[in-house]
Amino acid sequence: TGADPAAPREASLNPNPSPVPHGPPERASSPPTEDTLVTAELLSAGCPATADVHGNLSPPTVITSQQSSDWLKDRWQAAADLSGAPLSGEHWVEVDLLRAPGKLTRVVLDFETASASEYAISCRGESQGGWRDLEILSKKRASRNQHVVDEVDLAGTAGCRHVKLTIRKPDTVWGTSLWEMRIYGQGTPACGAVSYTHLTLPTKRIV
């Protein structure tokens, strides 16, 4: 006899058919790029540092040392005297990495309580080159025991041998003071091996 046109059609020969996917098919994950495989290195430890003013405490070279325990000897401050009275105007400190790394990825600014509320970070390749501002992706700030630490993540600028912090506005009534300026990036440190310790704090995003 002929098949009944109203009868249901035979099921697929596959007893466990796969469900029909909804939406576009999943894309395979991309392999890691060269940038994601490179670990950021501390590049600034022991490097030369200069500033536009000597200030009232230690010379600017202290900001690349591993010392941050002596309240008077282990920090630089843009102040006129031991009262901490600020020197007027903008001020800067500069670190010479001795050679340009692949890319700069982070700068950590370990201020004393006399921190800065406004500042810029710039770099140049050689001593006579022009300065260019570094693109800042984010900042995180933490405070404890006379330390105000800003972790500044950068977009990854290459060709930067000299890195400068320009302090535009102090955050307190005192001259801005800096325990350390730590610069991270891709490459091998050129300023020699230094046994390095620093303060690690919980942080909060500030921009």
Side-chain angles (χ1 to χ4, degrees), residues 66-88:
Q66 60 179 332
Q67 305 301 320
S68 61
S69 58
D70 190 300
W71 187 68
L72 292 178
K73 296 179 180 179
D74 295 340
R75 60 190 175 99
W76 170 87
Q77 185 171 24
D81 51 42
L82 289 180
S83 72
L87 295 168
S88 61

Side-chain angles (χ1 to χ4, degrees), residues 194-207:
V194 176
S195 175
Y196 204 82
T197 58
H198 59 79
L199 188 69
T200 301
L201 302 174
T203 57
K204 60 182 180 180
R205 192 174 297 276
I206 57 176
V207 294

Side-chain angles (χ1 to χ4, degrees), residues 26-69:
E26 294 184 2
R27 299 178 61 184
S29 59
S30 301
T33 63
E34 181 180 353
D35 282 352
T36 62
L37 295 174
V38 177
T39 302
E41 297 285 347
L42 176 63
L43 303 172
S44 56
C47 288
T50 55
D52 66 323
V53 293
H54 184 287
N56 61 330
L57 300 176
S58 289
T61 50
V62 73
I63 68 171
T64 59
S65 74
Q66 60 179 332
Q67 305 301 320
S68 61
S69 58

Side-chain angles (χ1 to χ4, degrees), residues 16-27:
N16 297 301
S18 300
V20 177
H22 295 280
E26 294 184 2
R27 299 178 61 184

